Amino acid sequence: MTRVLVVDDDALVRAGLTMMLDGSAGITVVAEAADGGEAVSAADAHRPDVVLMDLRMPRVDGITATRRLVGRPGPPKVVVLTTFDTDENIVGALRAGASGFLLKDTPPAAIADAVTRAAAGEPILSPAVLRTLMDRTLRQTDTWATARASLAALTPREHDVTLAVASGRSNADIAADLTMSVTTVKSHVSNILAKLGLENRTQLAILAHDAGLV
């Protein structure tokens, strides 16, 4: 079972998400929290696999909470679920270490699927968020140059894997596309993250988008 912590300052939203997720196969909600501070405490107490995180909350916001959670040993995956899709929110959350970013108009089944995929280590970006990241890349030439310089350190094979990760491909899909085993794909991803000093696949996808490769 994928253990989930639901974080939102709206009690009705929390209740709705909890009911929906608990009714999904392979998922159980182990705790709820009303702000980022409670989220960190609840994560310590219940050890969830995935934290479904709101952004705009009193006291401790979602980005700060995400940074605190992923900065610890054995952190949960954080998937942001919010109504705010500005560049600042999206990039801030992902750079803080979130494994994905969804909008609250995402269908319930897609949210449940995102939780399962996040627990498996897959990056989660809704189409609207992906478009925003692409638009941002086109606007930021300085970021483009820096990202290109970073990716220049990769081998050709690592470059292929990076492109596939940035396109949202699963490990199985990448393995099939590049004719390698899933274990080899995972090894390449780990090596790429270590080489570039990144925390997760989502940050790698951001870097690829910043470089204008996707």
Side-chain angles (χ1 to χ4, degrees), residues 101-128:
F101 196 111
L102 300 175
L103 301 180
K104 284 185 177 177
D105 61 0
T106 301
I111 294 175
D113 179 65
V115 166
T116 301
R117 289 177 58 195
E122 301 292 342
I124 309 298
L125 294 174
S126 69

mmCIF file of all heavy atoms in Angstrom, residues 101-128:
data_model
loop_
_atom_site.group_PDB
_atom_site.id
_atom_site.type_symbol
_atom_site.label_atom_id
_atom_site.label_comp_id
_atom_site.label_asym_id
_atom_site.label_seq_id
_atom_site.Cartn_x
_atom_site.Cartn_y
_atom_site.Cartn_z
ATOM 1 N N PHE A 101 3.805 18.277 -9.677
ATOM 2 C CA PHE A 101 2.978 19.470 -9.492
ATOM 3 C C PHE A 101 1.691 19.265 -10.285
ATOM 4 O O PHE A 101 1.721 19.116 -11.509
ATOM 5 C CB PHE A 101 3.730 20.705 -10.003
ATOM 6 C CG PHE A 101 3.175 22.020 -9.536
ATOM 7 C CD1 PHE A 101 3.880 22.812 -8.639
ATOM 8 C CD2 PHE A 101 1.952 22.486 -10.000
ATOM 9 C CE1 PHE A 101 3.373 24.037 -8.213
ATOM 10 C CE2 PHE A 101 1.431 23.701 -9.583
ATOM 11 C CZ PHE A 101 2.155 24.476 -8.685
ATOM 12 N N LEU A 102 0.565 19.244 -9.568
ATOM 13 C CA LEU A 102 -0.748 19.088 -10.185
ATOM 14 C C LEU A 102 -1.651 20.244 -9.789
ATOM 15 O O LEU A 102 -1.487 20.834 -8.725
ATOM 16 C CB LEU A 102 -1.403 17.777 -9.735
ATOM 17 C CG LEU A 102 -0.679 16.464 -10.045
ATOM 18 C CD1 LEU A 102 -1.438 15.315 -9.402
ATOM 19 C CD2 LEU A 102 -0.547 16.252 -11.543
ATOM 20 N N LEU A 103 -2.604 20.542 -10.658
ATOM 21 C CA LEU A 103 -3.611 21.545 -10.337
ATOM 22 C C LEU A 103 -4.852 20.858 -9.757
ATOM 23 O O LEU A 103 -5.118 19.688 -10.045
ATOM 24 C CB LEU A 103 -3.979 22.339 -11.589
ATOM 25 C CG LEU A 103 -2.811 23.082 -12.249
ATOM 26 C CD1 LEU A 103 -3.303 23.840 -13.478
ATOM 27 C CD2 LEU A 103 -2.135 24.024 -11.265
ATOM 28 N N LYS A 104 -5.604 21.603 -8.951
ATOM 29 C CA LYS A 104 -6.738 21.000 -8.255
ATOM 30 C C LYS A 104 -7.904 20.656 -9.175
ATOM 31 O O LYS A 104 -8.840 19.983 -8.731
ATOM 32 C CB LYS A 104 -7.202 21.921 -7.118
ATOM 33 C CG LYS A 104 -6.273 21.873 -5.915
ATOM 34 C CD LYS A 104 -6.794 22.684 -4.748
ATOM 35 C CE LYS A 104 -5.866 22.545 -3.537
ATOM 36 N NZ LYS A 104 -6.300 23.391 -2.396
ATOM 37 N N ASP A 105 -7.845 21.085 -10.436
ATOM 38 C CA ASP A 105 -8.880 20.657 -11.374
ATOM 39 C C ASP A 105 -8.517 19.332 -12.049
ATOM 40 O O ASP A 105 -9.213 18.865 -12.948
ATOM 41 C CB ASP A 105 -9.159 21.728 -12.428
ATOM 42 C CG ASP A 105 -7.937 22.065 -13.279
ATOM 43 O OD1 ASP A 105 -6.869 21.470 -13.050
ATOM 44 O OD2 ASP A 105 -8.060 22.932 -14.162
ATOM 45 N N THR A 106 -7.418 18.710 -11.596
ATOM 46 C CA THR A 106 -7.028 17.394 -12.106
ATOM 47 C C THR A 106 -8.083 16.360 -11.702
ATOM 48 O O THR A 106 -8.523 16.336 -10.555
ATOM 49 C CB THR A 106 -5.661 16.973 -11.521
ATOM 50 O OG1 THR A 106 -4.676 17.952 -11.877
ATOM 51 C CG2 THR A 106 -5.243 15.613 -12.055
ATOM 52 N N PRO A 107 -8.531 15.502 -12.617
ATOM 53 C CA PRO A 107 -9.546 14.484 -12.279
ATOM 54 C C PRO A 107 -9.084 13.590 -11.136
ATOM 55 O O PRO A 107 -7.881 13.292 -11.026
ATOM 56 C CB PRO A 107 -9.685 13.691 -13.586
ATOM 57 C CG PRO A 107 -9.266 14.641 -14.659
ATOM 58 C CD PRO A 107 -8.169 15.470 -14.043
ATOM 59 N N PRO A 108 -10.006 13.150 -10.287
ATOM 60 C CA PRO A 108 -9.644 12.309 -9.138
ATOM 61 C C PRO A 108 -8.802 11.088 -9.510
ATOM 62 O O PRO A 108 -7.825 10.773 -8.824
ATOM 63 C CB PRO A 108 -11.002 11.900 -8.558
ATOM 64 C CG PRO A 108 -11.904 13.044 -8.917
ATOM 65 C CD PRO A 108 -11.447 13.490 -10.276
ATOM 66 N N ALA A 109 -9.170 10.407 -10.584
ATOM 67 C CA ALA A 109 -8.415 9.213 -10.972
ATOM 68 C C ALA A 109 -6.977 9.563 -11.327
ATOM 69 O O ALA A 109 -6.054 8.792 -11.046
ATOM 70 C CB ALA A 109 -9.097 8.521 -12.155
ATOM 71 N N ALA A 110 -6.787 10.737 -11.932
ATOM 72 C CA ALA A 110 -5.437 11.160 -12.308
ATOM 73 C C ALA A 110 -4.615 11.522 -11.073
ATOM 74 O O ALA A 110 -3.398 11.320 -11.047
ATOM 75 C CB ALA A 110 -5.508 12.343 -13.268
ATOM 76 N N ILE A 111 -5.270 12.073 -10.048
ATOM 77 C CA ILE A 111 -4.565 12.381 -8.796
ATOM 78 C C ILE A 111 -4.105 11.090 -8.132
ATOM 79 O O ILE A 111 -2.956 10.971 -7.688
ATOM 80 C CB ILE A 111 -5.471 13.179 -7.836
ATOM 81 C CG1 ILE A 111 -5.789 14.564 -8.426
ATOM 82 C CG2 ILE A 111 -4.791 13.338 -6.470
ATOM 83 C CD1 ILE A 111 -6.775 15.367 -7.604
ATOM 84 N N ALA A 112 -4.993 10.100 -8.077
ATOM 85 C CA ALA A 112 -4.629 8.810 -7.485
ATOM 86 C C ALA A 112 -3.487 8.165 -8.263
ATOM 87 O O ALA A 112 -2.540 7.620 -7.681
ATOM 88 C CB ALA A 112 -5.842 7.889 -7.453
ATOM 89 N N ASP A 113 -3.556 8.244 -9.584
ATOM 90 C CA ASP A 113 -2.485 7.689 -10.416
ATOM 91 C C ASP A 113 -1.166 8.418 -10.169
ATOM 92 O O ASP A 113 -0.098 7.799 -10.123
ATOM 93 C CB ASP A 113 -2.874 7.793 -11.895
ATOM 94 C CG ASP A 113 -1.795 7.261 -12.819
ATOM 95 O OD1 ASP A 113 -1.518 6.051 -12.764
ATOM 96 O OD2 ASP A 113 -1.222 8.062 -13.590
ATOM 97 N N ALA A 114 -1.247 9.742 -10.004
ATOM 98 C CA ALA A 114 -0.044 10.532 -9.745
ATOM 99 C C ALA A 114 0.605 10.130 -8.426
ATOM 100 O O ALA A 114 1.838 10.057 -8.325
ATOM 101 C CB ALA A 114 -0.387 12.017 -9.728
ATOM 102 N N VAL A 115 -0.199 9.872 -7.417
ATOM 103 C CA VAL A 115 0.322 9.440 -6.120
ATOM 104 C C VAL A 115 1.069 8.112 -6.264
ATOM 105 O O VAL A 115 2.185 7.948 -5.747
ATOM 106 C CB VAL A 115 -0.826 9.301 -5.099
ATOM 107 C CG1 VAL A 115 -0.368 8.525 -3.862
ATOM 108 C CG2 VAL A 115 -1.333 10.679 -4.690
ATOM 109 N N THR A 116 0.476 7.185 -6.988
ATOM 110 C CA THR A 116 1.102 5.879 -7.191
ATOM 111 C C THR A 116 2.398 6.013 -7.977
ATOM 112 O O THR A 116 3.421 5.392 -7.649
ATOM 113 C CB THR A 116 0.132 4.936 -7.931
ATOM 114 O OG1 THR A 116 -1.061 4.791 -7.156
ATOM 115 C CG2 THR A 116 0.766 3.564 -8.134
ATOM 116 N N ARG A 117 2.377 6.824 -9.010
ATOM 117 C CA ARG A 117 3.579 7.016 -9.832
ATOM 118 C C ARG A 117 4.684 7.723 -9.052
ATOM 119 O O ARG A 117 5.861 7.391 -9.182
ATOM 120 C CB ARG A 117 3.233 7.814 -11.095
ATOM 121 C CG ARG A 117 2.411 7.030 -12.109
ATOM 122 C CD ARG A 117 2.050 7.894 -13.304
ATOM 123 N NE ARG A 117 3.252 8.405 -13.956
ATOM 124 C CZ ARG A 117 3.241 9.403 -14.838
ATOM 125 N NH1 ARG A 117 2.096 10.013 -15.134
ATOM 126 N NH2 ARG A 117 4.362 9.792 -15.410
ATOM 127 N N ALA A 118 4.294 8.701 -8.246
ATOM 128 C CA ALA A 118 5.290 9.405 -7.434
ATOM 129 C C ALA A 118 5.962 8.450 -6.464
ATOM 130 O O ALA A 118 7.183 8.496 -6.259
ATOM 131 C CB ALA A 118 4.639 10.558 -6.678
ATOM 132 N N ALA A 119 5.179 7.578 -5.850
ATOM 133 C CA ALA A 119 5.737 6.601 -4.913
ATOM 134 C C ALA A 119 6.742 5.688 -5.610
ATOM 135 O O ALA A 119 7.708 5.225 -4.994
ATOM 136 C CB ALA A 119 4.618 5.775 -4.284
ATOM 137 N N ALA A 120 6.530 5.466 -6.909
ATOM 138 C CA ALA A 120 7.433 4.610 -7.684
ATOM 139 C C ALA A 120 8.626 5.375 -8.236
ATOM 140 O O ALA A 120 9.467 4.805 -8.931
ATOM 141 C CB ALA A 120 6.665 3.957 -8.830
ATOM 142 N N GLY A 121 8.687 6.677 -7.946
ATOM 143 C CA GLY A 121 9.826 7.471 -8.388
ATOM 144 C C GLY A 121 9.662 8.146 -9.727
ATOM 145 O O GLY A 121 10.630 8.654 -10.293
ATOM 146 N N GLU A 122 8.428 8.197 -10.230
ATOM 147 C CA GLU A 122 8.196 8.827 -11.526
ATOM 148 C C GLU A 122 7.866 10.309 -11.343
ATOM 149 O O GLU A 122 7.176 10.689 -10.399
ATOM 150 C CB GLU A 122 7.040 8.145 -12.251
ATOM 151 C CG GLU A 122 7.258 6.659 -12.493
ATOM 152 C CD GLU A 122 8.365 6.393 -13.497
ATOM 153 O OE1 GLU A 122 8.730 7.317 -14.239
ATOM 154 O OE2 GLU A 122 8.875 5.264 -13.524
ATOM 155 N N PRO A 123 8.335 11.179 -12.256
ATOM 156 C CA PRO A 123 7.997 12.605 -12.171
ATOM 157 C C PRO A 123 6.550 12.841 -12.593
ATOM 158 O O PRO A 123 6.050 12.171 -13.493
ATOM 159 C CB PRO A 123 8.969 13.250 -13.171
ATOM 160 C CG PRO A 123 9.223 12.176 -14.175
ATOM 161 C CD PRO A 123 9.204 10.877 -13.397
ATOM 162 N N ILE A 124 5.892 13.789 -11.941
ATOM 163 C CA ILE A 124 4.479 14.053 -12.207
ATOM 164 C C ILE A 124 4.294 15.535 -12.533
ATOM 165 O O ILE A 124 4.472 16.391 -11.662
ATOM 166 C CB ILE A 124 3.596 13.702 -10.987
ATOM 167 C CG1 ILE A 124 3.902 12.291 -10.483
ATOM 168 C CG2 ILE A 124 2.128 13.855 -11.338
ATOM 169 C CD1 ILE A 124 3.617 11.191 -11.480
ATOM 170 N N LEU A 125 3.939 15.841 -13.766
ATOM 171 C CA LEU A 125 3.648 17.218 -14.160
ATOM 172 C C LEU A 125 2.384 17.218 -15.007
ATOM 173 O O LEU A 125 2.311 16.511 -16.015
ATOM 174 C CB LEU A 125 4.806 17.822 -14.969
ATOM 175 C CG LEU A 125 6.132 18.024 -14.248
ATOM 176 C CD1 LEU A 125 7.186 18.490 -15.242
ATOM 177 C CD2 LEU A 125 5.993 19.037 -13.126
ATOM 178 N N SER A 126 1.390 18.016 -14.606
ATOM 179 C CA SER A 126 0.181 18.114 -15.410
ATOM 180 C C SER A 126 0.507 18.835 -16.714
ATOM 181 O O SER A 126 1.482 19.592 -16.798
ATOM 182 C CB SER A 126 -0.907 18.881 -14.645
ATOM 183 O OG SER A 126 -0.547 20.242 -14.526
ATOM 184 N N PRO A 127 -0.274 18.617 -17.778
ATOM 185 C CA PRO A 127 -0.004 19.277 -19.066
ATOM 186 C C PRO A 127 0.095 20.796 -18.947
ATOM 187 O O PRO A 127 0.948 21.420 -19.586
ATOM 188 C CB PRO A 127 -1.202 18.852 -19.921
ATOM 189 C CG PRO A 127 -1.603 17.524 -19.364
ATOM 190 C CD PRO A 127 -1.389 17.657 -17.874
ATOM 191 N N ALA A 128 -0.770 21.398 -18.140
ATOM 192 C CA ALA A 128 -0.742 22.856 -17.992
ATOM 193 C C ALA A 128 0.567 23.317 -17.359
ATOM 194 O O ALA A 128 1.139 24.338 -17.740
ATOM 195 C CB ALA A 128 -1.926 23.330 -17.151
#
